Structures are given as C-alpha cells and as structure tokens.
Amino acid sequence: MTFGKGKIWYDGKFVEWSEATTHILSHVIHYGSSVFEGMRCYKTPKGSAIFRMKAHIDRLYDSAKIYRMEIPFSKEEFCNAILETVRVNELEECYIRPFVFRGYGKMGVNPLDNPVLCAIAAWEWGEYLGEGVLKKGISVRISSWNRPAPNTFPSLAKAGGNYLNSQLIKMEAIQDGFDEGIALDSYGYVSEGSGENIFMVRNGVIFTPPTSSSILPGITRHSIFVLARDLKIRIEQHLLPREALYIADEVFFTGTAAEVTPITKIDNITIGKGVRGPMTERIQAEFLRILRGETEDRHNWLTYI
Ligand code: PPE
C-alpha cells in the first residue's frame, strides 16, 4: 500500500506527500468547488500503461468548463505531469487522481476570486468494492436517495460536490449491510451507483441507462460499448425501471476503481443464478485483457509510462 507515501504533483512542482496541503479557508473546503478524475495504470508485458488517459483528461477539462474554471495548464502539460507522477513514485500499478480546485482567496459563494489549483496523486489501490468481488460479485440495495435532477447538479461534470450525494448512497448501503447502493434518477429510473455505472443483461442483450438518467458518462462505460461491439454483443441505452434489474439475467457495475464488478443480489433478491454470469465474465475478461496488455491495443487506449 503506497497511500500516504511519495510525491504529489502540486501546481507544476513535485512536493512530499505530507506537504501537499491547502489553507482551511480554501473555497473548495467550504463549497465543494473541485473537479477531478480517477484513472488506473496497469502492468503490461511492455511496461506500465495508463488506461484511456486522454479520455479522462478530456472529461476533466469538460468538468472544469462547466464550472467556469480555467485550468492554467494545457492538456498536454497535464498528461505529461500524470506520466511524471507515476514515474517519480516508481509505481508499476496504481490509481491516479488528478484534480483541480478553487483555493484560498476570498470567502463567500462567488468562486471567481479564488485561484484555480491543480494536483495529481497516485497510489496502489486494489479491488474497490472488496477483495475477490470481481469474481464473486456483490450485494447491493436500491438507495433511498435519488441522483440529482437535471438542472440541479450537472451530472456530466465529475465535481467534488456531487459526491455528497454519493456519500449518502454509500453510507446508507454500508450501514444496512450491503456493499453498495444503486440510485434512481429523479423520475424513478435506474441511474448509477455511488461511484459506478450500471449495466444489465437480459436475453443476450446488454442495457444501460442513457446519459440523461443523471449519470456520470463513465469512461469504463464507454469502453464496454466499444468492446461489446467488437464481440458482436447487442448493447443499448434505455430508461430502466427498478424492477427490470430484479428480473435481469445479470447485472454489473463498471468504473475505473470498480472495473467490472458483478452484482449478484439487489434488495436481497437473487439476480439470475446468483453468481457472476457468462456475459459479465466475457465482458470483464476482454476488458481486463485489454488493460493488462494481454491482447492487441486495437483502440489505442494505453499510454505507456
Ligand atoms: N459514476 C460515478 C458517480 C463515478 O464516480 C464513477 C467513477 C463512474 C460512474 C464511472 O466512471 P469511469 O471511472 O469513468 O468509468 N468513480 C471514480 C471514483 C471512485 C472513488 O471512490 O473515488 C472512479 O472509479 O475512479
């Protein structure tokens, strides 16, 4: 475990982990004003490589644009800083957290008089939803909390403030003995997990909610679309009622941290046979083969360190 050690890139310079601090009156601390990314770097036979770095950086800049934050680095500079962060910390496999936030300047809701600061941290991070879950799957509940309605908190932005909603979903699930929660959107359709997109399989077709269901447009989600097409599996975006999940053959979560995690129970109802299903296994295996460099990088998704 390397969390808590090494160097953090902080606004153009590397500093010691313990020195990467900010004033407690920074705007971000009081008003949640940050945007961030999470990406993973995997060991491959040709060396370590970051999965879909460009897509993550594009989403970071999109999130910043929505919140009128001017990032004082070009995308190329940011990408180079990410690669450097993995190199200086000598990490073979890691999770990388680039983020942009409003720092110390003036108190008050108006964010515009505060500096926009950038940082990148990296550390080793194993299976997000528990050890062995990629195989054995997890048990989840439908959250009593909904995802934000359209025109409230923009769900296309990966913004710090959105994760207060995620925290409510997660705490409720954990305290009730589940591994994770699934939130519905404000119309009652299935949206996503606290930090994952959701997919279901029925009669050989894969379904997932559209971006209009208050989801974060996941990069893993996009990768699953591309891989399903490669494998000639039908995949569709559909509004999904909650009960469609109960009667699905298979359900799984996707995300950078969660990768492809099977869901075997929802609200204590067994999904399909109650084990990782064949379609989930196929998609998961193909996904893992690509990011571990075990098959040709046919979509140019890997950036070698
Ligand atoms: N929805 C939400 C709300 C979300 O936070 C994530 C990623 C996704 C979907 C999947 O997106 P993508 O990673 O691009 O496939 N959640 C990140 C944060 C996890 C955390 O606890 O921090 C992640 O997986 O990195």
Side-chain angles (χ1 to χ4, degrees):
M1 192 62 185
T2 56
F3 188 81
K5 287 193 218 123
K7 293 203 184 332
I8 290 178
W9 183 89
Y10 195 177
D11 234 25
K13 289 195 284 287
F14 281 102
V15 299
E16 286 305 321
W17 190 287
S18 58
E19 321 259 287
T21 57
T22 189
H23 197 277
I24 56 166
L25 294 182
S26 294
H27 201 269
V28 60
I29 292 180
H30 298 262
Y31 309 112
S33 18
S34 70
V35 295
F36 68 99
E37 274 307 318
M39 49 187 100
R40 278 189 190 264
C41 171
Y42 294 89
K43 210 165 118 182
T44 83
K46 289 192 271 169
S48 299
I50 299 178
F51 183 67
R52 303 205 63 181
M53 177 165 71
K54 189 181 175 300
H56 282 284
I57 283 299
D58 285 344
R59 191 172 64 185
L60 181 70
Y61 279 70
D62 286 347
S63 300
K65 183 174 186 182
I66 292 169
Y67 282 100
R68 298 167 200 256
M69 287 171 154
E70 287 256 5
I71 300 181
F73 297 95
S74 68
K75 286 187 184 179
E76 204 190 333
E77 288 168 327
F78 223 111
C79 287
N80 286 334
I82 288 168
L83 291 165
E84 245 347 90
T85 304
V86 178
R87 283 185 203 126
V88 301
N89 286 297
E90 297 176 357
L91 293 160
E92 274 196 315
E93 286 209 304
C94 60
Y95 183 87
I96 306 161
R97 169 57 53 84
F99 57 108
V100 179
F101 63 99
R102 305 262 193 196
Y104 176 78
K106 273 196 185 147
M107 283 307 262
V109 169
N110 176 12
L112 298 172
D113 292 330
N114 296 284
V116 172
L117 301 169
C118 303
I120 305 161
W123 64 91
E124 285 167 4
W125 205 1
E127 279 173 284
Y128 181 59
L129 294 162
E131 216 174 298
V133 296
L134 293 199
K135 185 153 191 273
K136 74 173 190 248
I138 57 171
S139 164
V140 310
R141 64 163 283 171
I142 302 290
S143 184
S144 69
W145 296 97
N146 290 349
R147 272 300 190 197
N151 214 26
T152 60
F153 294 92
S155 69
L156 301 189
K158 192 167 172 65
N162 289 2
Y163 287 81
L164 281 170
N165 174 261
S166 288
Q167 288 176 46
L168 292 168
I169 296 164
K170 188 78 186 184
M171 288 188 289
E172 177 185 66
I174 297 286
Q175 290 188 343
D176 287 355
F178 297 89
D179 299 305
E180 178 59 294
I182 298 168
L184 306 178
D185 68 14
S186 59
Y187 304 104
Y189 292 104
V190 174
S191 178
E192 62 179 350
S194 74
E196 310 85 5
N197 291 117
I198 190 163
F199 290 76
M200 59 163 267
V201 182
R202 190 165 155 101
N203 297 330
V205 182
I206 305 180
F207 299 94
T208 196
T211 40
S212 51
S213 289
S214 296
I215 65 163
L216 178 75
I219 289 159
T220 318
R221 176 180 179 275
H222 178 262
S223 308
I224 300 305
F225 269 86
V226 175
L227 295 181
R229 286 188 192 125
D230 289 354
L231 298 172
K232 308 222 170 0
I233 299 166
R234 213 167 111 200
I235 183 158
E236 293 180 8
Q237 301 185 60
H238 251 290
L239 288 178
L240 298 175
R242 166 183 189 160
E243 66 276 19
L245 299 179
Y246 296 157
I247 58 172
D249 301 323
E250 303 177 31
V251 180
F252 59 90
F253 272 144
T254 68
T256 298
E259 298 170 314
V260 175
T261 301
I263 295 173
T264 52
K265 270 187 175 191
I266 302 174
D267 294 340
N268 289 315
I269 297 174
T270 299
I271 306 306
K273 298 205 166 74
V275 293
R276 176 176 66 184
M279 187 76 96
T280 307
E281 193 172 347
R282 220 176 138 201
I283 289 283
Q284 186 190 58
E286 187 63 11
F287 179 70
L288 296 176
R289 264 199 297 276
I290 291 245
L291 42 82
R292 290 181 186 147
E294 290 163 7
T295 181
E296 192 209 332
D297 179 21
R298 55 187 183 269
H299 302 292
N300 261 320
W301 283 342
L302 304 184
T303 306
Y304 288 90
I305 299 299

